[in-house]
Amino acid sequence: MFNTIKNAWRIPDLRKKMLFTLFIIIVFRFGSVIPVPFLDASALSALMESAAENTALGYINMLTGGAFSYASLFAMGITPYINSSIIMQLLTIAIPALERLSKEGESGRKKIAAITRYVTVALGLFQGIAYYFYLRSNAGIVKVTDGFSGVFVGIVIVLTFTAGTALIMWMGEQINEKGIGNGISIILFAGIVARLPVTFGGVWQYFNLGLTSPSTSGQYLVLAPLFIALFLVVIWVIVFMNDAERRIPVQYAKKVVGRKMFGGQSTYMPVKVAMSGVMPVIFASAILSIPQFIQFFWNPTAGFGKAFMDAFSQTGWIYMVLYFLLIIMFAYFYMSVQYNPLEMANNLRQNNGTVPGLRPGKPTAEFIAKILSKVTLIGALFLAFVALIPMIFTNLTGMHGLSIGGTSVIIIVGVALETVKQMESQMMMRHYKGFLD
């Protein structure tokens, strides 16, 4: 990976893309610590310290790279854009007009992208209002002197949160156009990496607690290093599964054109086990963050409401089950979007290719569909396993307050590998010798 980055840096065009991406990340990190106006910084800091054990707030803070705890310009993070993308992709399948737009080529995709932006701003506005009400419910944070100024202050704070959502969405699109990697994934990556020192600081605190109080907390002397070991094992598993693939054998028939013979070779059609990458995890996390934002409006302290909100916390078993099911669902959804078995079978037939032992056409399409379904299930179970293992570890050991889990590790490793592969493909394209060379 480091060799790839070093070689890419030597190419002027790629170096400009890398520097532009780095510039956007720096702007994102600056915006993540610039607080919105009319807030008392000391009161906000006290609130966030008291709410540090709240897994819902901690999870949202992790996705935003710490911006949420500062109530900063980018406190809403990239979650509104992710939710908007999910909504538009589902509506594209359900609404015929949007489906026709998606098939109109570049112009149709631009229209859908414009609608996605409007939905993102609307969701950012809703989440900004929710966060404002949460801050307003805690006395001393929002600086208000009378009724009129309270309305003005509320409008300014909410509009600032919404503007930050629009700005971070624009920065992601700029990375797509002028930088390296997927813009949304890169911003998520930058935010999560920024929380790594906090995570390892928390692990050290648990280890130090085991050293200072061996009689009551001696188990942390084992559990803290075990967490680090689990972290490294999860990274190794992700890298291993990212390169895993199922190869479908393909035989091309011989054909004679003039005096030359073409075809006749045996090859294979690769199907990646982790074909959808980190997107199922990102989408499932974004969906399950919605109840946590509702908690800003409605935060019951007892009864059914309290039990309902506890069930959707990251340590709740209902949350884990839903998380598991959503990852599998989005993995199959992405498979259906990326692969069309019938189209793949028709392409093979048009190029005189066949799968050994199967007739071209429908039998080949059914075989490919069966292979895709099995491989998708394996990949989805892998993603769900990696995402849930740290949550289960936290529940069993009681090591709460660590701001990184399986979801974060999958996003970090997955985005890094995808970005490096994009660099490699662009380097190959620039070193390819055409017929004029």
Side-chain angles (χ1 to χ4, degrees):
M1 183 177 74
F2 293 107
N3 286 333
T4 301
I5 296 174
K6 183 175 67 174
N7 294 332
W9 183 262
R10 294 172 180 170
I11 302 174
D13 189 21
L14 287 182
R15 184 165 60 246
K16 290 179 182 178
K17 289 178 177 288
M18 294 168 66
L19 289 173
F20 180 82
T21 303
L22 181 61
F23 170 74
I24 293 294
I25 291 175
I26 293 173
V27 172
F28 165 69
R29 291 309 304 156
F30 270 110
S32 298
V33 296
I34 298 175
V36 298
F38 304 114
L39 295 182
D40 188 297
S42 59
L44 177 63
S45 177
L47 171 66
M48 290 304 167
E49 286 180 5
S50 64
E53 295 299 322
N54 188 325
T55 55
L57 297 182
Y59 180 67
I60 295 172
N61 196 42
M62 180 271 294
L63 288 180
T64 60
F68 183 83
S69 61
Y70 294 111
S72 66
L73 177 63
F74 296 148
M76 299 299 101
I78 204 63
T79 307
Y81 184 80
I82 296 173
N83 290 333
S84 175
S85 300
I86 297 171
I87 292 171
M88 290 305 300
Q89 289 190 16
L90 294 177
L91 291 180
T92 300
I93 298 174
I95 300 177
L98 290 176
E99 186 177 4
R100 287 194 297 270
L101 268 180
S102 65
K103 295 179 179 179
E104 290 181 1
E106 187 65 26
S107 61
R109 284 193 294 270
K110 286 183 179 179
K111 292 179 182 177
I112 292 178
I115 299 173
T116 304
R117 295 188 192 101
Y118 292 131
V119 176
T120 300
V121 173
L123 291 177
L125 178 63
F126 170 76
Q127 294 184 5
I129 293 173
Y131 193 27
Y132 169 73
F133 274 101
Y134 175 72
L135 296 175
R136 183 69 185 271
S137 65
N138 294 271
I141 295 180
V142 181
K143 299 177 182 178
V144 180
T145 56
D146 54 45
F148 174 76
S149 66
V151 174
F152 174 76
V153 166
I155 292 174
V156 170
I157 291 176
V158 171
L159 289 182
T160 305
F161 285 145
T162 308
T165 300
L167 180 57
I168 202 172
M169 173 184 63
W170 178 82
M171 291 194 301
E173 292 178 347
Q174 293 304 303
I175 292 178
N176 290 338
E177 293 179 8
K178 303 176 183 178
I180 289 287
N182 181 282
I184 303 305
S185 299
I186 291 291
I187 290 174
L188 264 179
F189 173 86
I192 295 172
V193 168
R195 301 296 297 171
L196 283 179
V198 177
T199 298
F200 291 115
V203 174
W204 169 250
Q205 288 180 0
Y206 278 111
F207 186 76
N208 194 39
L209 181 62
L211 288 175
T212 55
S213 305
S215 59
T216 58
S217 305
Q219 72 272 18
Y220 293 132
L221 291 174
V222 177
L223 293 177
L226 184 61
F227 178 84
I228 300 296
L230 183 65
F231 180 81
L232 297 176
V233 169
V234 166
I235 291 177
W236 179 83
V237 171
I238 295 171
V239 173
F240 175 78
M241 291 298 291
N242 190 76
D243 293 330
E245 61 185 19
R246 168 68 160 88
R247 296 179 176 181
I248 302 175
V250 177
Q251 178 70 42
Y252 287 96
K254 295 180 181 179
K255 62 178 180 179
V256 178
V257 179
R259 295 183 178 181
K260 293 184 179 181
M261 181 178 293
F262 297 91
Q265 74 271 21
S266 297
T267 183
Y268 61 87
M269 183 188 304
V271 179
K272 300 281 291 182
V273 174
M275 64 180 74
S276 53
V278 299
M279 296 312 295
V281 175
I282 294 175
F283 280 9
S285 302
I287 289 289
L288 288 178
S289 67
I290 294 175
Q292 297 161 359
F293 272 102
I294 294 176
Q295 193 173 0
F296 296 150
F297 288 109
W298 179 52
N299 189 16
T301 57
F304 171 77
K306 179 70 165 55
F308 177 82
M309 288 302 176
D310 289 343
F312 281 94
S313 70
Q314 271 198 298
T315 55
W317 292 104
I318 293 179
Y319 179 96
M320 294 184 189
V321 172
L322 289 176
Y323 194 33
F324 176 84
L325 296 176
L326 282 174
I327 289 175
I328 293 178
M329 184 189 76
F330 280 116
Y332 273 97
F333 172 74
Y334 259 81
M335 184 271 291
S336 64
V337 171
Q338 292 177 346
Y339 293 92
N340 186 340
L342 184 59
E343 183 179 346
M344 294 167 69
N346 288 335
N347 289 337
L348 280 177
R349 182 168 57 181
Q350 291 172 3
N351 291 282
N352 295 319
T354 59
V355 177
L358 294 173
R359 290 186 302 167
K362 186 178 180 181
T364 300
E366 291 175 350
F367 175 77
I368 294 175
K370 185 178 179 180
I371 294 296
L372 288 175
S373 179
K374 290 181 178 180
V375 171
T376 302
L377 178 61
I378 295 173
L381 290 176
F382 146 71
L383 287 175
F385 171 78
V386 172
L388 290 176
I389 278 295
M391 295 182 187
I392 297 173
F393 179 85
T394 300
N395 277 355
L396 295 178
T397 61
M399 292 178 64
H400 299 286
L402 302 178
S403 60
I404 193 167
T407 304
S408 310
V409 179
I410 291 175
I411 293 173
I412 290 173
V413 180
V415 171
L417 293 175
E418 288 177 5
T419 305
V420 168
K421 285 186 177 180
Q422 184 173 340
M423 288 183 185
E424 290 175 347
S425 63
Q426 294 202 22
M427 284 191 293
M428 288 179 62
M429 180 179 64
R430 283 164 174 77
H431 287 94
Y432 178 76
K433 292 186 177 181
F435 67 94
L436 291 179
D437 296 333

